[in-house]
């Protein structure tokens, strides 16, 4: 996904300048005392990425004049390093072979190395956030706790009478929404936004994070037009909103599809059949409707923000995320 800001050209270029500077500083932030640590810590960073969280920091920092660009960049480094560190740990949990089209760190080296490199990057993020102040440190710590709790909840799965879909959405809020919310709040803190705006940014960011992940759920099934390989989560038996909606149903006509979705799908013919059945199923329309609904909720939180190019760009981000899975 290419995130472009279709607002004022001068504003868009100034944001792009900050993102280029942040990209340069990411490499420095991953530098270790040995060449191996530097190589391993830079592995996922060098593979690229959307840099969605740094973008949110920069945009929110432009809501009010007078933001310190260096502080905004440091805040962006904190959230991106935290995100990248969590990816190292996720790949170990998921036993992944690839990350962003490149060999995953756990596959290239070992699970132990990947875990320790993730810890190293978390430490780097902590060192940088300490330069921003106690309030930033406290928010970063709370966010890290939610990331871990979300991973634990995902690993355990829904328990007892838990509704599986509600459980899944809580996991998304913790694992994805919390750090995206912190990205927006960090930007607001940098420019001195008042408490009511910081609260709105937090609510906006958390909702946006869930929207972002739910749109990925749809793309995994219906991604022929995006250049991504369809059915990756489907093949590995990873729960997504559309597949969970199918599993929650009781219609006899869906028995074959529910059978295919019961675990991993190793046979290419079975995968092709599952993709075809999923694409024709009403669960896809229901998932898209949920993405659109949550995007509207996210945009409503922006009403208290000051008018201007930054708020317009945040609105546009919502629309772009919905459009990528439409």
């Amino acid at each position: 996904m290419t995130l472009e800001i279709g607002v004022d050209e001068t504003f868009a270029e100034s944001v792009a300048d900050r993102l280029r500077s942040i990209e340069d500083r990411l490499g420095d932030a991953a530098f270790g005392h040995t060449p191996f640590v530097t190589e391993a810590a830079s592995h996922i960073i060098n593979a690229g990425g959307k840099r969605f969280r740094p973008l949110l920091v920069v945009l929110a920092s432009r809501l009010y004049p007078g933001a310190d660009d260096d502080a905004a960049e440091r805040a962006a480094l904190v959230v991106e390093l935290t995100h990248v560190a969590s990816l190292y740990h996720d790949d170990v949990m998921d036993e992944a072979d690839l990350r962003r089209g490149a060999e995953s760190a756990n596959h290239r080296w070992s699970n132990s190395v990947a875990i320790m490199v993730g810890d190293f990057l978390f430490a780097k993020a902590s060192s940088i956030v300490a330069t921003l102040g106690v309030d930033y440190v406290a928010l970063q710590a709370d966010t890290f706790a939610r990331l871990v709790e979300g991973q634990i909840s995902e690993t355990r799965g829904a328990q007892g009478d838990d509704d599986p879909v509600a459980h899944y959405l809580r996991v998304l809020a913790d694992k994805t929404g919390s750090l995206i919310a912190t990205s927006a709040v960090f930007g607001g803190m940098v420019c001195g936004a008042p408490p009511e705006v910081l609260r709105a940014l937090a609510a906006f960011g958390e909702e946006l994070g869930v929207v972002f992940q739910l749109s990925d759920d749809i793309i995994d099934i219906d991604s022929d037009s995006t250049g991504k390989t369809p059915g990756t989560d489907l093949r590995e038996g990873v729960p997504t909103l559309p597949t969970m909606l199918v599993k929650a149903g009781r219609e006899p006509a869906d028995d074959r599809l529910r059978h295919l979705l019961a675990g991993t799908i190793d046979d290419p013919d079975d995968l092709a059949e599952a993709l075809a059945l999923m694409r024709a199923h009403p669960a896809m329309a229901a998932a898209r409707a949920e993405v659109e609904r949550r995007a509207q909720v996210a945009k409503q939180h922006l009403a208290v923000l000051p008018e201007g190019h930054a708020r317009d760009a945040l609105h546009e981000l919502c629309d772009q995320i919905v459009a990528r899975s439409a």
Side-chain angles (χ1 to χ4, degrees), residues 193-264:
E196 63 272 18
V197 169
L198 295 180
R199 288 192 293 269
L201 286 170
F204 165 78
E206 183 153 330
E207 200 69 56
L208 189 67
V210 175
V211 169
F212 194 90
Q213 186 57 58
L214 292 180
S215 71
D216 271 356
D217 286 357
I218 295 168
I219 289 170
D220 181 70
I221 295 167
D222 198 14
S223 59
D224 284 339
S225 62
T226 67
K228 294 181 67 175
T229 302
T232 300
D233 289 339
L234 204 62
R235 183 178 62 250
E236 296 175 359
V238 176
T240 61
L241 181 59
T243 60
M244 295 182 79
L245 292 175
V246 171
K247 290 178 182 179
R250 294 292 182 268
E251 295 80 3
D254 292 334
D255 285 348
R256 171 59 180 168
L257 179 54
R258 281 194 291 270
H259 172 75
L260 290 169
L261 299 178
T264 58

Side-chain angles (χ1 to χ4, degrees), residues 109-325:
W109 293 294
S110 69
N111 282 344
S112 295
V113 167
I115 290 169
M116 288 186 289
V117 170
D119 292 345
F120 172 79
L121 291 172
F122 278 127
K124 287 286 190 174
S126 297
S127 179
I128 296 171
V129 78
T131 69
L132 292 167
V134 174
D135 290 344
Y136 292 85
V137 173
L139 179 53
Q140 173 70 358
D142 289 344
T143 304
F144 188 26
R146 286 193 64 188
L147 290 174
V148 175
E149 284 201 57
Q151 183 63 67
I152 292 170
S153 295
E154 182 180 55
T155 301
R156 294 189 72 221
Q159 300 291 306
D161 295 331
D162 286 349
D163 175 68
V165 173
H167 175 268
Y168 178 64
L169 293 173
R170 287 195 301 270
V171 168
L172 296 189
D174 286 340
K175 281 194 61 179
T176 303
S178 64
L179 187 57
I180 289 178
T182 294
S183 302
V185 173
F186 271 3
M189 291 168 69
V190 167
C191 68
E196 63 272 18
V197 169
L198 295 180
R199 288 192 293 269
L201 286 170
F204 165 78
E206 183 153 330
E207 200 69 56
L208 189 67
V210 175
V211 169
F212 194 90
Q213 186 57 58
L214 292 180
S215 71
D216 271 356
D217 286 357
I218 295 168
I219 289 170
D220 181 70
I221 295 167
D222 198 14
S223 59
D224 284 339
S225 62
T226 67
K228 294 181 67 175
T229 302
T232 300
D233 289 339
L234 204 62
R235 183 178 62 250
E236 296 175 359
V238 176
T240 61
L241 181 59
T243 60
M244 295 182 79
L245 292 175
V246 171
K247 290 178 182 179
R250 294 292 182 268
E251 295 80 3
D254 292 334
D255 285 348
R256 171 59 180 168
L257 179 54
R258 281 194 291 270
H259 172 75
L260 290 169
L261 299 178
T264 58
I265 305 177
D266 299 319
D267 186 282
D269 292 336
D270 285 346
L271 179 61
E273 182 185 0
L275 281 169
L277 290 172
M278 282 299 309
R279 288 169 177 172
H281 199 280
M284 294 295 288
R288 287 191 173 94
E290 181 64 5
V291 167
E292 293 175 1
R293 184 189 71 80
R294 286 180 172 270
Q296 289 302 317
V297 172
K299 287 194 283 189
Q300 289 170 9
H301 291 301
L302 298 176
V304 303
L305 274 58
E307 294 183 0
H309 297 313
R311 191 177 79 171
D312 292 344
L314 293 172
H315 267 275
E316 188 169 322
L317 281 184
C318 288
D319 293 337
Q320 288 186 31
I321 292 171
V322 171
R324 70 199 283 260
S325 59

Side-chain angles (χ1 to χ4, degrees), residues 26 29 45 76-86 121 124-125 128:
L26 271 173
I45 292 173
L77 290 172
V78 169
V79 294
E80 187 64 12
L81 288 171
T82 300
H83 172 57
V84 172
S86 72
L121 291 172
K124 287 286 190 174
I128 296 171

